Amino acid sequence: MPKNTENAQAQRRREAIWSAAVSTAMRLLMAAVLLWLRWGRDGGSFLSKLLVIVLVLELGSIVPIWINLKKRLEEIQGGEEDAAAQY
């Protein structure tokens, strides 16, 4: 494998990991804001229930991010992008 291909793969791996980490951090920050907004609300109100639903969706979206990262790293390692770039 040529040296520049290895460098390109390493760069894509770093970017993919960084992207997943930033996305996770943003979702955790949003979840914290939603939890803070819900803190003073009556538990039975519509807004409180809506905040809980959005909070669960935010936290639930973290798992697919890391699953997608794993698949992306496998694609980078397998060289699919390098092969596609030749066309």
Side-chain angles (χ1 to χ4, degrees), residues 1 4-20 69 72-73 75-85:
M1 186 179 304
N4 62 354
T5 302
E6 291 174 8
N7 290 338
Q9 284 184 350
Q11 179 67 25
R12 284 195 295 269
R13 277 193 301 272
R14 281 191 299 273
E15 289 172 357
I17 292 169
W18 179 250
S19 176
L69 173 64
R72 174 107 168 90
L73 292 175
E75 289 174 359
I76 292 170
Q77 184 67 30
E80 281 102 358
E81 285 186 15
D82 297 326

Side-chain angles (χ1 to χ4, degrees), residues 8-70:
Q9 284 184 350
Q11 179 67 25
R12 284 195 295 269
R13 277 193 301 272
R14 281 191 299 273
E15 289 172 357
I17 292 169
W18 179 250
S19 176
V22 169
S23 293
T24 300
M26 293 299 292
R27 279 168 174 69
L28 289 173
L29 179 64
M30 186 63 178
V33 168
L34 290 169
L35 195 58
W36 177 74
L37 287 172
R38 187 188 181 284
W39 189 268
R41 304 262 180 239
D42 175 29
S45 72
F46 172 75
L47 184 58
S48 179
K49 291 176 184 176
L50 181 63
L51 288 173
V52 169
I53 290 169
V54 175
L55 175 68
V56 169
L57 290 174
E58 280 293 321
L59 293 175
S61 67
I62 293 173
V63 173
I65 289 171
W66 291 95
I67 292 171
N68 191 19
L69 173 64
K70 182 179 183 247

